[in-house]
Every structure is written in structure tokens, then in C-alpha cells.
């Protein structure tokens, strides 16, 4: 029988699945982790410079047109916001370090057993640092992040501040012991070794240095001293010609040389050390110290008006306007070689390059025709654009974008502006934040018709300075004839406002007080120039720098000088009521006050030549024009046309003597200003508003004593001139008697005290109280009896 074959079962080998990555994958993964760590590091660094600008873009990650200021754009802004703000704050910098270490381990093929312990203790350290920063810097949530802030707040609710502090100390000890092998014996041993090594090194160094100094002094001063001593003390020895004399004299003169040289050196060093110690002990004078806890207004006080994602581009509108411009110019046989559009918040600039041979004046004359074809108000032609070989046509957008004050204040250009008095006006046609320095203007003239944005512009100027300057550095003198525009700033009177000593309200609404305030500022100007003269400096910046470094003695009258900004809301009303009495001190301040830190901002709704006179215009090179009603008004304020073509609602032109820039003024609403002043006013303030020098004007003449012995020699002649002319004015006495203004003013005061003329009545001449010469003789004779 044949044996049955046994069926052999097929053997199947089980494939073992290994989770261990290959060498190539380790290199790739390690490279990825290293690159990711570098990206995180730079995005974290950039976060602390750009987080305010990028906050509005966090919800628009998918919008390709949105662009963040972070070095890694929207990815960097989002990931850094997650780690730094919503996460662990500064402690988050440990994550790029841990990622880089892990990447290097994988890239170099090292053993990864110790990586887990590094990550565990690294995360423990991150949590500890975050909670510690939340505990010690509770007013700076960006330092500890949201997790540190909330965990610290949670723990304090249960164990209190002392409990949280003890937990932090205990956790720190655990980290030091487990991670750095901390022990009391190791610390004691370390300091003992350091102490002995310092003691050993100090002694030889000192001896060597002393010997070296002696040798240096001998070598430096040996030859000249020996020659002098040889001729003075050695009577029988001839002048030294050979080295033999050197051998004889060196031992005798060496102690004397050392003594003289070292004494002089020690005395000089003691003086230098004393002076340095004085500076180090006292440090620089800090004018902010009195209000050291003052907090600047926060960004959340301002509203985000309009669209937060930037300007929306309407491609159809751009194409339509382009075709209309090209066709209109073609109708007048003007060819265009190139056209380019720059979109702004309210206006789009079309830059055209005409064909060769086209006269610029021909295009300029077609302003009305282009406006008709585009059916738009506010067409403005710039021919040519300064600094470019193009012609600009500004066309208003159908849907304008509001420029909020918040977006301007939060911009990098304003936040990092290294200016003495930075002002953020708004945004240009190219959508760039426009920031200028008031200290370099040095004065500003604003004009525009009613309701075109003038008062909002003033609020934008004041708001910019409030966000940037400490109360110790700047003071405002506010003049508001309308009595309603600047009243909100009453709340910051004891922080930022200046006023006359006897004035009840800091915001000036009475025209008589305006005249006194302007003259008081002139006195302040003269006083400051005297201080600059004594300090031997040229301007306020050099003076304050010298005062803060304690090189000027307060006992000599020196003090820290804050900037003073005079803001006049309606200048035309002052000119109508007070005339020359206002114009004269304004012109004097405009001519001289810039060097000593007094700057003027004057606004008017009527830019006529009798309001903005030649003297005013000559001293106000920086000017702003909102929309005006006529070309004449535009030329009065800007010396050029264009302001009559603006579209209103904050659309303005700015010039500082050169080219004209079109800007959309930043919008700051009344409730926003109220919140800012409330925030500042609720903080600790100075005892009172900054006091200006006292000014005694002509209206106080009745208080003068009627002392006949102190009267001017020309008093009788002046009285006769006044009585004959029946007109009581100092200018009449000046002309008739050929006297100076100051002397004529004193005589007028004496005539008032004697009862010959009446009191001061503003711009009017004084009333003459004596009817004829006979009455004058009787009055003067009765005084002598």
C-alpha cells in the first residue's frame, strides 16, 4: 500500500510593522521642526511690535487682500496671537527652543530617550513662568498671557496672593533641584571657591599695576625733570652731556619725581570720582516723577469706524473711470501713453503719462470737462505731480471709507514716530498714515467752511498729542469763542491745561480774557528766552536736556519747560471783536515763540484776507484747508486752487510751504473724546492747572495811584492833545508828541487815574471826560491845592 502523503500546510511569515522612522524620515522631520522653530521665534518677536495693527486681521485669515504687519504675515499674526496672548505670554519662547532641540536630535540621529523629559520639564517651566509673570505683572497681560493671567486669578480666589507666592517658590525649588541638581552644599561650595579665587587674583594684580604705573611715570618724566634739577641744584657740575650724569643723578631724584607725579594724578582722580558719584547718586531729573503712575489712554477708548478690513477695490468703477478719462482727453486730441490708479479711502488718484508734445496747460484747462464726463464732484488735476513725470487726476470714490482715529493711532508710523510733538492727521491717497511734527511746522493754520471737518481736525490734533505725551511735557491753552467745541477738555484741566492765575475756567471763551492770555504768553515767551540765554542754549530741547542732566540750578530760576500749544477754534470772531489787540500778540508769538516751545494752532471758517492777514500767513507755513466755497478762499489759505474742489467730510489739503498733499482726516467722534478725557481726568492730577504769568493790561489803569510827583513830564501836553482832539488813545499821543508806545501807554494810564479819560473799552478809543481846555485847567489846579 502506498503511503498517503501528508499535506504540508503552507507557512506564511508575519510581516512585523515598525513604528520607528527611517534615517531619511528623521532628517526630514528634524529639518521641519527646526524650520518651524525659527518661524515661531520670528513671529513671536514680531508680535510685540505689530500686535495692535494685526488684531483687526485675525478674523480675516482667508482674505487674500488682507496683509498683516507680522514678519510671517497672517500665519505669524495668528500663531503668535494664539501662543503669546491667548497662551503663555513671554514663556512661549520656550516652545521654539524645545522644537529646535527636538529637530537637532532627529537631524543628527541622536538618541531620543531624554527628549520626553526635556519636554515635560520645559512645559512645567513654561507654566511656572506664565503664572509668575501673571502674578508680578498683573497690569501687563501680554507678559504672562491669558493662561498665566487666568490661572493666577483662579489660584488667588482660593489661596490668596501669599499662597500663590509660596506655591511659586516651592515649584521653583522643585525645578531647580530636578533640572539643575540644586543643593545648599553646592551653592556654598561655589561661593567659597569664587571668594578664594578673587582673593588670590586681586593681590598680584594690584602690585603689578602699581609698579607699572611707577615705571611709566619715571620713563615719561625722567629726562625733563633731570635737566631742570641739574641746573638748579648742582653748582659745580657742568651741564649734562653724557650718560655718566644720568647714573649719578637718577637715585637722588627718583623719589621726588614719583611723589610729584603721583600726587597730581591722585588729586585729579578724586575730583573726577566725586563728580561721577554725584551724577550716579542723583541720576537725571525726571519731570514725570510727580505723576509717575500716570497711564496713557488705551486704544480701546477709540471706536473702529467703518470697514475694518481695509479699502475695498471696485474694479468696475476703476475701469469705467479710466475709460471716461481716456475718451475725454481723446476728444481733445490728447493721447495717453500710460495710466495708473492709486486707491485711497475717499479719492482715487489716476496718474497719466501724456504722449510726447502734449502741453500740460492743455490738460489742466480740461478740469471741468473731465468732471462733467465723470459726473463727480471734487475733480482735482495736479499738473505735474511733484517729483514724478506724471499728471495726476484725483477722482472721488463712489463709496468712501471712513478713516478712524483708532487705525491712525495704532499704526506703526505713529507709534514709532521719533518726533517731539507727533500729530496723526489721517491717511493719504495711497492709504498711508500721515504723521507730522508740530515742533517743526512750527505753527498750524486751519480753514474751512462750516461743517467740513474743522472741529474734528482740531480734536484729531489734540487726541494725537494726548496719546503720545505725558502731562509734564505738554500744556494746552484752549480758546473757544463758540463756547461749545472744546468744553469736553475741561475734565483734563489739572493734567494738560494752562490758564491765567486768577481765571476760574481753563477754557477761554471771553474775548477780553483772550487778549490777556495772549499777552501773558508773550511774557512767558520773553521769560523763557531769558532762561535760554542764561543756560547758553538755542532752543527748548537743548534747555530741557541740560536741565534734566542737572547742569542748571533751580535756585537761579531754572525749571523744566513743558511745550505750550495755543489752540484757537474761531479766529475770525476774535479779529472782528478785538482786531489789532489780538493780531499783534499772535504775530509776535508766531515770529519768535517756536524756539522756546510755544506753538499755535489757529482755525477759522472764514479765510478772508482781513482775517488771515499777510503777517499771519508769513509766520504760518503749515496750513490745512478743508472744503471752502470759492477759489479766492482757497488761494487765501493755500496760495493755490484746489480747496474749493474738495468733497467735504474731512477731505483736506495740507501744505508746509512746498507741495500740497490730499489727506482724509481721521474721524474722532465726541463720545470718543469724552471717554479719553474721562480716562485721563479720573487719574491723579496736579493740584491745579499750569499757571501762566500774570498780565496787567490797560483796563487796569483805574487802579493806578494818582501821584502828581510820579507823572510824566509830558503829562500836561498829552492832556491838552487829548482834550482838544476829544479822542482818548495812546496812538494819538504817539503821533502828536512823537513818543514811544510804552511811554504813551503809561501817560494814558495817568490820564485815566486823573479822571481826564475813561476806562479801557477794547478796540474803541477811550471816552474823554473833560470837555474843553478851561475845564482841564480847573481840574489840574484843584489837584495842586
Amino acid at each position: 500500500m502506498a503511503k498517503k502523503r501528508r499535506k504540508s500546510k503552507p507557512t506564511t511569515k508575519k510581516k512585523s510593522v515598525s513604528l520607528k522612522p527611517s534615517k531619511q524620515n528623521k532628517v526630514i522631520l528634524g529639518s521641519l521642526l527646526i524650520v518651524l522653530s525659527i518661524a515661531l521665534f520670528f513671529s513671536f518677536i514680531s508680535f510685540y511690535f505689530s500686535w495692535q495693527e494685526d488684531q483687526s486681521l485675525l478674523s480675516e485669515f482667508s482674505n487674500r487682500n488682507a496683509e498683516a504687519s507680522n514678519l510671517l504675515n497672517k500665519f505669524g499674526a495668528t500663531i503668535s496671537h494664539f501662543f503669546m496672548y491667548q497662551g503663555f505670554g513671554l514663556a512661549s519662547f520656550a516652545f521654539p527652543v524645545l522644537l529646535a532641540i527636538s529637530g537637532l536630535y532627529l537631524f543628527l540621529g541622536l538618541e531620543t530617550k531624554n527628549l520626553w523629559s526635556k519636554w515635560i520639564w520645559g512645559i512645567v517651566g513654561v507654566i511656572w513662568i506664565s503664572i509668575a509673570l501673571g502674578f508680578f505683572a498683573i497690569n501687563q497681560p501680554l507678559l504672562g498671557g491669558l493662561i498665566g493671567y487666568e490661572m493666577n486669578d483662579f489660584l488667588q480666589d482660593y489661596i490668596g496672593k501669599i499662597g500663590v507666592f509660596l506655591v511659586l517658590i516651592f515649584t521653583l525649588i522643585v525645578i531647580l533641584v530636578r533640572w539643575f541638581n540644586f543643593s545648599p552644599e553646592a551653592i556654598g561650595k561655589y561661593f567659597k571657591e569664587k571668594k578664594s579665587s578673587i582673593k588670590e587674583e586681586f593681590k598680584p594684580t594690584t602690585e603689578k599695576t602699581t609698579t607699572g604705573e611707577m615705571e611709566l611715570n619715571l620713563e615719561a618724566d625722567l629726562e625733563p625733570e633731570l635737566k631742570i634739577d641739574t641746573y638748579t641744584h648742582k653748582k659745580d657740575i657742568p651741564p649734562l652731556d653724557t650718560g655718566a650724569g644720568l647714573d649719578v643723578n637718577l637715585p637722588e631724584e627718583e623719589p621726588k619725581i614719583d611723589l610729584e607725579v603721583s600726587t597730581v594724578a591722585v588729586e585729579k582722580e578724586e575730583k573726577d570720582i566725586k563728580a561721577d558719584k554725584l551724577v550716579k547718586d542723583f541720576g537725571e531729573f525726571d519731570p514725570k516723577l510727580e505723576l509717575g503712575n500716570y497711564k496713557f489712554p488705551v486704544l480701546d477708548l477709540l471706536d473702529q469706524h467703518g470697514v475694518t478690513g481695509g479699502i475695498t477695490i471696485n474694479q468696475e468703477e476703476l475701469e469705467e473711470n479710466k475709460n471716461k478719462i481716456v475718451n475725454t482727453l481723446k476728444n481733445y486730441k490728447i493721447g495717453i501713453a500710460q495710466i495708473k490708479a492709486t486707491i485711497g479711502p475717499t479719492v482715487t488718484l489716476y496718474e497719466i503719462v501724456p504722449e510726447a508734445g502734449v502741453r500740460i496747460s492743455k490738460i489742466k484747462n480740461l478740469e471741468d470737462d473731465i468732471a462733467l464726463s465723470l459726473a463727480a464732484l471734487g475733480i482735482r488735476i495736479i499738473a505735474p505731480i511733484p517729483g514724478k513725470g506724471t499728471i495726476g487726476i484725483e477722482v472721488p470714490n463712489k463709496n468712501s471709507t471712513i478713516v478712524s482715529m483708532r487705525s491712525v493711532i495704532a499704526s506703526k508710523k505713529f507709534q514709532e514716530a521719533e518726533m517731539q510733538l507727533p500729530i496723526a492727521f489721517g491717511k493719504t491717497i495711497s492709504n498711508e498714515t500721515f504723521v507730522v511734527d508740530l515742533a517743526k511746522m512750527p505753527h498750524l493754520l486751519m480753514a474751512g467752511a462750516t461743517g467740513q471737518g474743522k472741529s474734528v481736525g482740531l480734536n484729531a490734533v489734540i487726541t494725537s498729542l494726548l496719546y503720545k505725551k505725558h502731562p509734564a511735557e505738554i500744556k494746552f491753552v484752549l480758546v473757544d469763542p463758540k463756547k461749545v467745541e472744546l468744553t469736553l477738555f475741561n475734565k483734563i484741566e489739572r493734567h494738560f491745561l494752562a490758564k491765567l492765575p486768577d481765571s476760574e475756567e481753563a477754557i477761554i471763551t471771553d474775548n477780553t480774557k483772550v487778549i490777556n492770555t495772549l499777552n501773558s504768553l508773550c511774557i512767558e515767551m520773553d521769560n523763557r528766552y531769558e532762561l535760554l540765554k542764561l543756560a547758553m542754549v538755542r532752543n527748548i530741547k537743548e534747555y530741557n536736556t541740560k536741565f534734566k542732566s542737572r547742569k542748571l540750578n533751580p535756585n537761579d530760576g531754572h525749571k523744566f519747560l513743558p511745550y505750550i500749544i495755543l489752540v484757537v477754534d474761531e479766529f475770525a470772531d476774535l479779529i472782528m471783536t478785538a482786531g489789532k489787540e489780538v493780531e499783534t500778540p499772535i504775530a509776535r508769538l508766531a515770529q519768535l515763540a517756536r524756539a522756546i516751545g510755544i506753538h499755535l494752532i489757529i482755525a477759522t471758517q472764514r479765510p478772508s484776507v482781513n482775517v488771515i492777514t499777510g503777517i499771519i500767513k508769513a509766520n504760518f507755513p503749515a496750513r490745512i484747508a478743508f472744503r471752502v466755497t470759492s477759489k479766492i478762499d482757497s488761494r487765501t489759505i493755500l496760495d493755490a486752487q484746489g480747496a474749493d474742489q474738495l468733497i467735504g467730510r474731512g477731505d483736506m489739503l495740507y501744505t508746509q510751504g512746498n507741495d500740497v498733499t490730499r489727506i482724509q482726516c481721521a474721524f474722532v467722534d465726541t463720545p470718543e473724546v469724552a471717554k479719553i478725557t474721562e480716562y485721563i481726568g479720573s487719574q491723579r492730577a496736579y493740584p491745579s492747572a499750569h499757571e501762566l504769568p500774570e498780565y496787567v493790561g490797560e483796563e487796569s489803569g483805574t487802579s493806578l495811584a494818582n501821584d502828581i510827583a510820579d507823572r510824566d513830564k509830558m503829562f500836561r501836553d498829552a492832556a491838552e492833545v487829548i482834550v482838544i482832539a476829544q479822542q482818548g488813545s495812546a496812538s494819538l499821543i504817539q503821533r502828536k508828541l512823537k513818543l514811544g508806545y510804552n511811554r504813551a501807554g503809561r501817560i494814558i494810564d495817568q490820564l485815566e487815574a486823573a479822571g481826564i479819560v475813561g476806562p479801557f473799552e477794547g478796540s474803541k478809543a477811550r471816552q474823554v471826560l473833560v470837555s474843553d481846555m478851561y475845564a482841564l485847567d480847573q481840574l489840574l489846579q484843584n489837584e495842586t491845592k
Side-chain angles (χ1 to χ4, degrees), residues 174-282:
V174 171
I175 293 171
L176 293 175
V177 170
R178 296 302 300 272
W179 204 352
F180 297 102
N181 296 323
F182 167 82
S183 66
E185 294 84 1
I187 295 293
K189 186 179 179 182
Y190 173 79
F191 281 109
K192 193 173 182 180
E193 289 176 356
K194 280 290 178 185
K195 185 178 178 181
S196 60
S197 63
I198 290 170
K199 190 180 289 185
E200 288 173 5
E201 291 177 6
F202 183 79
K203 190 174 181 180
T205 305
T206 309
E207 291 175 357
K208 185 177 180 182
T209 306
T210 309
T211 309
E213 285 177 356
M214 289 176 65
E215 290 174 356
L216 180 65
N217 292 334
L218 281 170
E219 289 176 5
D221 299 332
L222 182 62
E223 187 175 350
E225 291 291 329
L226 283 174
K227 286 182 179 179
I228 295 169
D229 289 342
T230 300
Y231 295 134
T232 307
H233 300 289
K234 305 295 179 182
K235 295 181 181 178
D236 301 327
I237 300 176
L240 289 175
D241 292 329
T242 64
L246 183 66
D247 295 333
V248 173
N249 287 278
L250 180 58
E252 293 181 10
E253 301 301 326
E254 182 180 352
K256 185 177 180 181
I257 294 170
D258 288 342
L259 181 61
E260 290 177 0
V261 175
S262 61
T263 304
V264 174
V266 169
E267 286 180 355
K268 186 176 181 181
E269 285 173 4
E270 282 180 355
K271 290 176 184 177
D272 292 342
I273 289 167
K274 286 179 182 177
D276 291 339
K277 190 177 179 183
L278 188 66
V279 174
K280 287 177 183 176
D281 286 347
F282 290 101

Side-chain angles (χ1 to χ4, degrees), residues 294-311:
Y294 173 78
K295 295 179 182 177
F296 286 85
V298 294
L299 202 62
D300 291 337
L301 299 172
L302 296 169
D303 298 331
Q304 185 68 63
H305 300 282
V307 183
T308 57
I311 297 172

Side-chain angles (χ1 to χ4, degrees), residues 2 71 90 101 105 168 192 235 251 266 322 329 342 391 417 442 476 521 532 570 583 591 671 686 726 747 775:
L71 290 175
L90 282 175
I101 292 171
Y105 266 72
L168 289 171
K192 193 173 182 180
K235 295 181 181 178
V266 169
K322 183 203 79 170
L329 295 175
T342 304
I391 295 171
F476 292 96
L521 284 173
L532 261 63
E570 188 43 70
E583 185 182 355
Q591 288 171 353
Y686 295 107
Q726 285 294 301
I747 293 175

